[in-house]
Amino acid sequence: MEQKPFCKKCLLKEMSEERFKKELADYLDSLEEEEKASGQLYEERLSVCKQCDYLNAGMCKACGCYVEMRAAMKARICPYGKW
């Protein structure tokens, strides 16, 4: 089966899980080095999120962000003060 190219105007629900994971990885790779949190900080943040009751399938139910994207950016914070 031929895979369709990614449509920049498509919704997440229209993407396959594989495509979504690739887009997330591409986004994280595209961040400028000075914008990125260190690998250790990123993992510490994700560890906190994984224990949070607001986490649901990679998304924060409280603020609506994808935690892997928010945690990857050095200047971002948890809007609930958890990191």
Side-chain angles (χ1 to χ4, degrees):
M1 175 186 280
E2 184 179 328
Q3 186 173 8
K4 294 180 186 178
F6 177 65
C7 170
K8 301 268 185 216
K9 300 284 185 181
C10 292
L11 301 174
L12 293 175
K13 68 180 182 176
E14 297 169 335
M15 275 189 237
S16 68
E17 184 175 337
E18 181 179 301
R19 174 58 78 176
F20 177 73
K21 287 179 183 178
K22 181 180 181 338
E23 291 299 319
L24 174 61
D26 288 349
Y27 171 79
L28 295 175
D29 289 342
S30 75
L31 292 173
E32 298 291 329
E33 284 303 313
E34 56 273 358
E35 294 178 311
K36 286 183 183 179
S38 70
Q40 180 180 349
L41 180 59
Y42 178 68
E43 293 301 325
E44 288 172 3
R45 289 174 169 184
L46 292 181
S47 179
V48 170
C49 290
K50 286 176 75 172
Q51 295 177 31
C52 181
D53 292 336
Y54 290 126
L55 182 65
N56 183 23
M59 181 181 256
C60 176
K61 292 189 303 184
C63 72
C65 79
Y66 286 99
V67 297
E68 290 165 280
M69 291 180 180
R70 182 182 289 270
M73 292 183 278
K74 187 185 332 184
R76 294 293 185 108
I77 61 169
C78 170
Y80 295 91
K82 295 187 178 209
W83 48 260

